[in-house]
Amino acid sequence: MELLREITEELKSSYIDYAMSVIVGRALPDVRDGLKPVQRRILYAMYEMGLFSNKPYRKSARIVGDVLGKYHPHGDSAVYDALVRMAQDFVMRYPLIDGQGNFGSIDGDSPAAMRYTEARLSKIAEEILEDIDRDTVDFQPNFDASLKEPIVLPSKVPNLLINGSTGIAVGMATNIPPHNLKEVCMAIIEYIKNPNLTIEDLMEHVKGPDFPTGGVITGLDGIAEAYKTGRGKITVRGKVEIDGKKIIIKEIPYLVNKAKLVEKIAELIEEGRLDARTVRDESDREGIRVVVEVREDVSTALNKLYAYTSLQTTFGVIMLALVNGEPRILNLKDMIEFYVDHRREVVRRRTAFELKKAEDRLHIVEGLKIAIENIDDVISLIKSSKSPELAKKALMEKYGMSEKQAEAVLQTRLQKLTAMEIESLIKEYEELRRKISEYKEILSSKERIDEIIVEEMHYLIDKYGDERKTEIEKEATEISSEELVSEEKSIVIFTKAGFVKRMPLNFKLQKRGGVGVIGIQLREDTPAYMTVCSSKDKLLIFSKNKAYCINAYEIPKLDRYAKGVKLSNLISCNEVVSAVPIKEFDEKELLIVSEEGYVKRIKVKEFENAKRAGIIASSSNIAFVCPVDGKEVFISTRNGYTIRFGLEEVPVLSRNAKGVKGINLRKGDSIAWVSCNSGKYLLTVSKDGYARRSDIKDYRKVSRGGVGVINYRGEVVMTEVVEGEEKLITLSSDGYLLKTDVSDVPIQSRNAKGVILSKKEVSCCSVER
């Protein structure tokens, strides 16, 4: 007969069957013993082989063969991989297998072939298997029904929590972190004493995951969420030491491949993203030691390692385990509760087994006691019997013995009739009666069972308890993009064609009168503006009547030969008239001068909303912007005129205001530079490369709105108030940059032409203070 069925129904049914087979039979651990089927079978096979911690090692190939032949009909690589994992002390917090030979490394090295390695059970694995021969757990037929295998192990040890588990099933996955045995056992003890404990109460004992590779967990929120809901994200960092300019990595996050971590650090150095001399792996048998020798600020370099490498990872907790054969997401209390229930059942069944065993022995001993009390008659009766069967029958009839008792009497050797043996038998009789009474008391009292479990937990703490390896920091520390930037002095160059770039200000000082070195590749472009700033400054960029704000480190750091990147990729403008570096949006002031010579003061905080899109900075086109650091204003024009007046004459106005008249420009003239600094001299630089310093007393102080006095006969590029200890940076129209000491520029009257500063035509200038 042909059966018809919708293919969708068949696929759905078959896939669900397959999924459940993977979930239950392979990928997920049992909540009671914390083991997957393959792990349980390996441990039980080794137990049957007698590979205890005090016995010689046996070849791994032999163990794998026994597991395959008896219990696990899958590939040998799957069994060996599971065996290796249980032996790796960088994977298991408390390894269940004691391996001898090459079992892989934290660098990702593969273990040797199974024919080369040897293994035996670790001591803690023996605790998991203890009492398995006392009817403590149920057994089921193996794959061919020729043998029996345990459904679960007795597990005196809370293995699921202390060793964790990782597995990918069909449609679900588990990722349970390992924990400290001492903390888990204390939490179990407290739970048994008070089952109404909250998860917060349990967290007083279980502080958080404790990884075999140590490391540092940052923040408690992820731990709390994982323990309360069964899901959470925990940020783990490697543990480092700082020694001058060296970052020494002593511990790495759980399951991180050390060799790949070192390789990634080397890539960052090669790409220039990490300013370091070298990275060395100096790890040995004593532990991990990776040394990174950095050039930049150490804290910044460390933040880069956290941000760009696996020195900081996120452990996604999914506490999924099998409960009565069904997958369930469990919180911390659930896991402890199910484990305690399992141990209660194990202790109850073990006690019942021991009770039956003691009662059976007492029954025999009672028969022997009767025989000893009537020894002469018993011997005569046995001697007069024609056969053992008749002797057994006579003993049963005369002394009321059972068949087993009579059989035991007949099997007793004559040596047992000595006074010493008789006394020993009486002691055994009394001891058995005491034990039976104790076993019955245990079975009739839940409190006594709990006391035994508490005693077992104290025993585990005393024998296997150790200190935490993983530290926990209460506060989570987010790494901002600014923390990934080393603070260094930089120079930012804007061009008329709308390009911008940033370079470290590490140019060598040169004598005046030189050419300088290439600073930017211009091609058919010309420099528009240049400013000195810190890489961690914010840059207020002004264009026409708008202001924009960008972090200085967001401008790409390029070499001297680069032309830069399009400014429009960073902010919504192409033309720049000024750029002012600031630290914060505070009460400090800026001086804004318009193309018509109008001037105003404005608070820096007014530009707090000046993002990449820009905001209005003035109602007229801006010619120049400078910070207010002095009490007098110097405005200079291209044609060599300069006016000096008091800052108090300039009002503080809003962004939309035009300002008041600062200088009366002559026809064809324009604003060249504005300065509001404290200093003794006015430094003037001309377009044709001449420079001089003049005493500011040479410039009489007038009221704002005048035409100024003659400062220089020629085209002026810069007039800045200086003290004389600053550094002067000039950029030529063809991209050559010259850095000189301001003190090299002589002090002359304002009528003097000055001395040759640069053999190149100067396009723009800046002062490094």
Side-chain angles (χ1 to χ4, degrees):
M1 188 174 86
E2 186 177 342
L3 293 175
L4 295 178
R5 191 179 186 188
E6 285 286 337
I7 190 168
T8 54
E9 288 298 317
E10 178 62 32
L11 286 171
K12 182 179 179 182
S13 174
S14 298
Y15 193 74
I16 289 173
D17 291 343
Y18 163 72
M20 288 308 297
S21 172
V22 172
I23 289 166
V24 177
R26 293 193 194 182
L28 300 186
D30 193 293
V31 71
R32 296 168 289 180
D33 62 6
L35 297 171
K36 300 177 188 178
V38 65
Q39 296 171 324
R40 189 178 301 116
R41 288 164 178 168
I42 290 169
L43 295 181
Y44 183 63
M46 293 178 73
Y47 168 83
E48 282 195 313
M49 293 170 71
L51 299 182
F52 301 113
S53 60
N54 58 350
K55 297 294 175 63
Y57 293 92
R58 193 74 60 85
K59 284 288 184 184
S60 299
R62 169 70 189 279
I63 299 168
V64 171
D66 262 39
V67 175
L68 290 176
K70 292 180 178 179
Y71 307 117
H72 199 71
H74 299 283
D76 59 347
S77 61
V79 176
Y80 187 52
D81 287 349
L83 185 150
V84 166
R85 184 180 172 85
M86 289 193 287
Q88 291 175 329
D89 59 1
F90 52 88
V91 173
M92 302 289 278
R93 181 64 176 83
Y94 301 91
L96 303 181
I97 288 177
D98 178 10
Q100 182 170 263
N102 176 13
F103 275 81
S105 74
I106 200 168
D107 286 323
D109 299 320
S110 299
M114 68 180 80
R115 63 183 177 274
Y116 298 119
T117 60
E118 298 177 335
R120 64 185 178 187
L121 292 170
S122 67
K123 288 184 179 180
I124 203 164
E126 292 175 6
E127 307 287 358
I128 293 176
L129 289 154
E130 187 178 304
D131 299 327
I132 197 169
D133 55 350
R134 298 186 183 184
D135 191 34
T136 50
V137 294
D138 292 331
F139 281 69
Q140 65 185 3
N142 70 339
F143 60 88
D144 62 358
S146 61
L147 296 167
K148 295 278 190 180
E149 64 174 308
I151 294 174
V152 68
L153 298 185
S155 193
K156 183 191 288 187
V157 179
N159 183 58
L160 184 59
L161 273 171
I162 67 168
N163 271 325
S165 187
T166 301
I168 300 173
V170 179
M172 59 185 68
T174 186
N175 202 25
I176 303 170
H179 292 79
N180 184 270
L181 181 141
K182 190 188 294 185
E183 293 181 358
V184 172
C185 288
M186 286 305 301
I188 290 169
I189 290 169
E190 292 303 315
Y191 169 78
I192 290 172
K193 290 179 180 177
N194 180 12
N196 296 321
L197 283 176
T198 63
I199 291 173
E200 287 81 0
D201 295 330
L202 292 172
M203 286 179 64
E204 291 293 320
H205 301 282
V206 183
K207 307 295 183 185
D210 189 23
F211 300 109
T213 52
V216 180
I217 294 173
T218 61
L220 298 176
D221 292 344
I223 297 173
E225 185 182 1
Y227 287 168
K228 290 176 182 178
T229 68
R231 292 178 180 270
K233 290 183 179 179
I234 297 172
T235 301
V236 187
R237 288 178 173 177
K239 191 179 292 183
V240 301
E241 292 178 2
I242 305 299
D243 181 12
K245 283 287 188 178
K246 291 180 182 177
I247 298 173
I248 304 169
I249 301 170
K250 305 289 286 185
E251 295 173 3
I252 62 176
Y254 185 49
L255 300 180
V256 166
N257 184 313
K258 176 166 66 68
K260 288 186 177 177
L261 171 63
V262 174
E263 186 181 328
K264 180 62 177 178
I265 295 172
E267 283 180 14
L268 291 178
I269 296 172
E270 188 178 343
E271 292 168 2
R273 297 168 69 189
L274 179 67
D275 191 4
R277 291 184 180 86
T278 183
V279 56
R280 297 189 306 275
D281 187 356
E282 299 177 357
S283 307
D284 54 21
R285 292 181 181 274
E286 299 300 316
I288 291 173
R289 180 183 170 88
V290 176
V291 180
V292 186
E293 291 188 19
V294 300
R295 294 190 186 94
E296 59 184 323
D297 177 63
V298 174
S299 61
T300 304
L302 183 57
N303 285 332
K304 287 181 180 178
L305 292 179
Y306 287 145
Y308 301 143
T309 74
S310 53
L311 191 61
Q312 174 175 307
T313 61
T314 299
F315 188 96
V317 178
I318 309 171
M319 299 207 291
L320 179 72
L322 294 175
V323 180
N324 297 322
E326 295 181 0
R328 276 184 56 181
I329 294 283
L330 307 169
N331 60 37
L332 179 62
K333 187 175 180 181
D334 291 337
M335 296 179 81
I336 290 175
E337 181 181 349
F338 286 123
Y339 171 75
V340 170
D341 289 346
H342 173 59
R343 283 307 294 171
R344 283 172 176 158
E345 178 66 11
V346 167
V347 172
R348 186 194 65 76
R349 289 181 63 163
R350 181 183 68 195
T351 306
F353 176 85
E354 292 295 335
L355 174 62
K356 185 177 184 308
K357 184 179 172 183
E359 286 177 338
D360 289 347
R361 179 59 184 166
L362 180 64
H363 182 64
I364 299 299
V365 171
E366 284 175 339
L368 295 174
K369 187 170 174 288
I370 293 170
I372 289 169
E373 289 171 349
N374 303 277
I375 188 64
D376 293 333
D377 290 343
V378 168
I379 291 173
S380 297
L381 187 148
I382 293 172
K383 284 174 67 178
S384 62
S385 300
K386 292 182 179 180
S387 68
E389 285 299 321
L390 291 174
K392 187 198 298 185
K393 191 175 181 181
L395 287 171
M396 292 168 65
E397 289 176 356
K398 185 170 183 179
Y399 298 107
M401 292 183 184
S402 68
E403 186 175 348
K404 287 184 178 180
Q405 287 175 324
E407 185 71 37
V409 170
L410 290 173
Q411 295 294 330
T412 303
R413 294 180 179 182
L414 289 175
Q415 70 179 27
K416 293 289 184 180
L417 301 180
T418 63
M420 187 179 294
E421 289 294 333
I422 291 171
E423 185 181 348
S424 174
L425 188 68
I426 299 301
K427 284 184 179 178
E428 185 183 1
Y429 175 77
E430 296 299 329
E431 180 66 18
L432 285 169
R433 291 190 62 181
R434 187 192 64 77
K435 282 185 177 179
I436 288 169
S437 174
E438 183 183 345
Y439 293 149
K440 286 182 177 178
E441 181 193 350
I442 291 170
L443 290 172
S444 64
S445 171
K446 179 176 174 292
E447 289 74 19
R448 284 286 287 119
I449 291 175
D450 286 349
E451 284 176 16
I452 292 169
I453 297 172
V454 169
E455 288 172 9
E456 289 175 346
M457 294 300 108
H458 282 300
Y459 161 79
L460 292 174
I461 291 171
D462 293 340
K463 188 165 184 180
Y464 303 104
D466 57 2
E467 297 305 313
R468 286 190 65 89
K469 292 187 176 183
T470 302
E471 294 179 8
I472 299 175
E473 293 179 350
K474 291 185 178 180
E475 296 299 324
T477 51
E478 294 288 333
I479 299 174
S480 66
S481 55
E482 186 175 339
E483 290 177 302
L484 299 176
V485 180
S486 295
E487 186 157 13
E488 61 178 354
K489 278 197 172 181
S490 302
I491 187 160
V492 179
I493 300 173
F494 299 88
T495 72
K496 288 187 178 177
F499 285 87
V500 62
K501 77 168 183 175
R502 179 170 63 93
M503 294 184 294
L505 195 58
N506 54 8
F507 293 89
K508 290 182 180 179
L509 279 172
Q510 293 181 298
K511 296 293 182 183
R512 61 176 177 79
V515 175
V517 296
I518 189 71
I520 184 170
Q521 195 73 47
L522 289 169
R523 296 182 178 89
E524 297 179 1
D525 202 356
T526 53
Y529 191 82
M530 178 172 64
T531 187
V532 173
C533 66
S534 165
S535 55
K536 290 195 174 184
D537 283 345
K538 296 176 177 64
L539 271 185
L540 276 177
I541 300 171
F542 295 88
S543 173
K544 292 185 178 178
N545 65 341
K546 297 187 80 173
Y548 309 82
C549 185
I550 188 174
N551 293 307
Y553 61 79
E554 293 181 78
I555 298 172
K557 181 179 174 182
L558 303 171
D559 61 29
R560 295 189 293 117
Y561 298 96
K563 71 173 184 177
V565 298
K566 288 294 287 184
L567 181 61
S568 57
N569 293 335
L570 302 174
I571 58 175
S572 301
C573 85
N574 282 312
E575 291 183 40
V576 174
V577 293
S578 286
V580 180
I582 61 169
K583 297 291 182 187
E584 298 294 337
F585 293 100
D586 50 22
E587 293 294 323
K588 289 183 179 178
E589 296 175 351
L590 299 178
L591 202 67
I592 298 180
V593 179
S594 71
E595 291 179 352
E596 296 87 5
Y598 286 87
V599 62
K600 69 176 179 180
R601 281 190 286 164
I602 187 167
K603 300 283 187 184
V604 171
K605 67 178 182 180
E606 292 284 327
F607 299 101
E608 195 164 2
N609 294 322
K611 308 300 181 186
R612 296 169 188 262
I615 56 173
I616 294 295
S618 175
S619 60
S620 57
N621 285 348
I622 297 169
F624 203 93
V625 181
C626 72
V628 173
D629 289 322
K631 301 200 176 193
E632 293 180 333
V633 180
F634 287 81
I635 302 177
S636 297
T637 71
R638 292 279 175 194
N639 292 341
Y641 287 90
T642 298
I643 188 171
R644 173 191 179 192
F645 56 86
L647 180 67
E648 69 278 0
E649 294 190 51
V650 182
V652 178
L653 299 173
S654 68
R655 288 188 292 109
N656 291 313
K658 183 177 181 179
V660 295
K661 198 69 174 176
I663 187 170
N664 192 6
L665 292 170
R666 289 175 168 80
K667 188 175 181 181
D669 207 353
S670 61
I671 303 295
W673 198 271
V674 181
S675 178
C676 187
N677 281 310
S678 299
K680 300 177 182 176
Y681 311 103
L682 188 70
L683 173 66
T684 302
V685 180
S686 69
K687 186 176 180 180
D688 55 6
Y690 282 83
R692 63 166 161 78
R693 283 185 291 161
S694 302
D695 196 311
I696 59 171
K697 294 176 182 176
D698 291 350
Y699 305 86
R700 69 178 183 273
K701 192 173 181 179
V702 297
S703 296
R704 62 174 178 79
V707 294
V709 296
I710 286 287
N711 172 46
Y712 192 82
R713 299 190 184 278
E715 187 172 341
V716 172
V717 175
M718 181 185 81
T719 54
E720 180 66 62
V721 176
V722 295
E723 283 288 348
E725 297 174 358
E726 300 86 349
K727 305 290 185 292
L728 173 62
I729 302 161
T730 63
L731 187 64
S732 69
S733 56
D734 57 354
Y736 278 80
L737 189 144
L738 179 67
K739 181 179 178 182
T740 58
D741 268 318
V742 169
S743 58
D744 284 350
V745 178
I747 301 169
Q748 298 177 334
S749 71
R750 62 184 178 89
N751 295 316
K753 184 175 178 66
V755 295
I756 190 73
L757 174 71
S758 171
K759 290 181 179 178
K760 296 267 187 183
E761 181 183 90
V762 176
S763 182
C764 54
C765 303
S766 187
V767 172
E768 178 189 355
R769 299 183 186 275

